Amino acid sequence: MEAMAEHSQETQVTGESGADKIQERLQRRHQARAKDAERKKEAQESRSVAEEKSEYFCSTFNAERASIEELLSSCSGADRAVVTQTLEEATVKTLQLQKFLNDSMLFLTQYELRRAQDALKKLLTSSADIREEALPKKKFAFRARSKATDKVSAPPVTDTPTVTDSTKVDVAPAESVQCCFSNMENVCVIKTAEEIHKQDVLLTHLTNCKVRLFGSPSTLHMTHIDNCEILCGPVSSSVFVDHCRNSTLAIPCQQLRTHNTTDTQVYLHVTSRAIVEDCRGVGFAPFTFSYPTLDEDFIVSGLDRDRNNWSQVDDFNWLAAGTPSPNWTVIPEADRKTNWEL
């Protein structure tokens, strides 16, 4: 009898244990199904949010693009001053649209991203074409008091910057004419505030040169610059750099566009954003160049001295969200230049 009782108790315990295990398996299965349902719900909500964000992006982007296109269309038949102001406004809006695109990359499809990028490039091309047609660069004659190949080992250090007889280039008088330095090697070029005030300054085909521009020009164009050091006062609007290599630039400006540039350091004060395209090995650091009338020139230029976006650089060739562009870097503080020869 005792054996039968013990067997009955063991059977009851085994039955309870098997029931518990079945209940436990059912509970785990229920939890797994609940988690799976929750994941599917979250995925569906995520897709809905992404679709809503994508729809918002497309509608906002297209509206802003249309606004910029309307601005550019208004340049037709307008006078020079109106065209200049309109183009500057269009450029600022285009930069803002580029930032909007950069901030939206995480939820855009590759197709949407490519379409937006192409639209931006078309806007930039249209703006450049209008600028070229409506604001052509005037041709003018200039004479040098000596050959451009005269070598100067270092720029003169004086209380008031002047242009030495061995390096000065006189521009033929003309109203609203740009100041140009072209096809020079191994020279030091200095311009005072009176000489470049509100002028369009062009530096082209310079090799092993030192350039000092004291004052506030309207725009600054630099093309085909090789192994040069170019220091400039506050530029009231835009700076354009193209085909520059192995050089050092120090510039305050409203906006900076850099193309086809390699192994160049840029000490920058920019109130909007800097753009690089087809560049490699470009380093950025905050503007550190100083001279006696810099504060006055900042006032003349209208630039905000307290607003400097020197490290906010948009690379038109790099669209990988969350990954820094390999084409430009921030210059380490220990390697930054702080002492400049005037």
Side-chain angles (χ1 to χ4, degrees):
M1 293 291 292
E2 291 180 359
M4 292 180 62
E6 290 177 359
H7 178 71
S8 176
Q9 290 177 353
E10 289 176 359
T11 302
Q12 184 178 358
V13 170
T14 302
E16 290 177 354
S17 176
D20 290 342
K21 288 181 179 179
I22 292 174
Q23 182 65 28
E24 185 179 348
R25 285 200 300 269
L26 290 174
Q27 187 175 1
R28 285 200 300 267
R29 184 181 301 172
H30 175 72
Q31 291 174 347
R33 288 176 177 174
K35 289 181 179 179
D36 186 58
E38 184 66 24
R39 283 195 298 269
K40 290 180 179 179
K41 181 181 178 181
E42 290 177 355
Q44 179 63 34
E45 291 177 350
S46 178
R47 283 194 296 269
S48 298
V49 171
E51 289 172 357
E52 290 176 3
K53 287 183 177 180
S54 177
E55 183 178 349
Y56 170 75
F57 170 82
C58 291
S59 61
T60 304
F61 185 92
N62 290 333
E64 289 299 315
R65 181 185 63 179
S67 173
I68 296 171
E69 289 174 343
E70 185 177 353
L71 269 177
L72 296 176
S73 298
S74 68
C75 293
S76 179
D79 60 36
R80 183 183 179 89
V82 172
V83 171
T84 301
Q85 183 177 357
T86 302
L87 286 176
E88 292 300 331
E89 183 180 353
T91 301
V92 171
K93 284 181 173 290
T94 303
L95 290 173
Q96 292 171 345
L97 196 57
Q98 173 68 50
K99 184 180 185 301
F100 179 54
L101 173 60
N102 291 344
D103 294 340
S104 306
M105 287 179 180
L106 288 176
F107 58 81
L108 293 178
T109 65
Q110 287 297 320
Y111 174 73
E112 291 169 333
L113 191 61
R114 176 57 59 185
R115 286 193 62 185
Q117 182 187 22
D118 291 342
L120 276 171
K121 287 185 177 180
K122 287 180 180 178
L123 288 175
L124 293 170
T125 300
S126 297
S127 180
D129 291 343
I130 292 172
R131 186 182 298 274
E132 183 69 23
E133 180 180 353
L135 306 174
K137 299 303 179 183
K138 296 185 178 181
K139 303 297 182 180
F140 59 93
F142 65 91
R143 64 183 185 274
R145 293 185 179 180
S146 67
K147 294 182 180 179
T149 55
D150 288 347
K151 294 186 178 180
V152 177
S153 58
V157 180
T158 59
D159 293 335
T160 303
T162 59
V163 180
T164 62
D165 287 342
S166 61
T167 61
K168 184 173 181 179
V169 175
D170 292 332
V171 178
E175 188 174 357
S176 301
V177 76
Q178 70 180 124
C179 178
C180 176
F181 295 93
S182 177
N183 299 306
M184 292 184 173
E185 295 184 11
N186 305 306
V187 299
C188 173
V189 177
I190 298 177
K191 280 291 182 179
T192 64
E194 292 76 14
E195 294 173 295
I196 64 171
H197 178 69
K198 298 301 179 183
Q199 295 277 342
D200 293 331
V201 178
L202 171 63
L203 307 175
T204 180
H205 291 91
L206 303 184
T207 302
N208 299 323
C209 293
K210 291 188 176 183
V211 179
R212 305 292 186 264
L213 303 175
F214 301 96
S216 176
S218 177
T219 61
L220 175 60
H221 297 254
M222 291 178 279
T223 66
H224 298 282
I225 306 297
D226 187 7
N227 196 32
C228 293
E229 183 181 81
I230 299 174
L231 314 181
C232 184
V235 180
S236 60
S237 57
S238 303
V239 173
F240 303 91
V241 182
D242 192 17
H243 288 94
C244 177
R245 66 175 187 170
N246 302 322
S247 295
T248 300
L249 315 175
I251 315 161
C253 59
Q254 183 186 73
Q255 59 183 337
L256 172 69
R257 295 287 304 275
T258 306
H259 300 272
N260 305 301
T261 293
T262 58
D263 303 323
T264 292
Q265 293 189 335
V266 182
Y267 291 82
L268 182 65
H269 183 109
V270 62
T271 56
S272 59
R273 293 174 75 89
I275 292 175
V276 297
E277 188 171 15
D278 299 324
C279 294
R280 176 178 53 79
V282 180
F284 287 90
F287 180 77
T288 55
F289 175 50
S290 183
Y291 56 93
T293 60
L294 180 62
D295 291 339
E296 299 173 15
D297 293 334
F298 259 103
I299 295 175
V300 171
S301 71
L303 298 179
D304 187 349
R305 190 74 181 268
D306 298 323
R307 181 181 180 185
N308 187 5
N309 301 322
W310 65 272
S311 62
Q312 299 181 28
V313 181
D314 294 325
D315 186 351
F316 278 11
N317 298 111
W318 188 257
L319 299 178
T323 305
S325 167
N327 300 317
W328 69 272
T329 59
V330 171
I331 302 173
E333 290 190 22
D335 298 333
R336 296 175 187 173
K337 188 169 183 176
T338 56
N339 296 320
W340 305 89
E341 293 181 353
L342 296 182

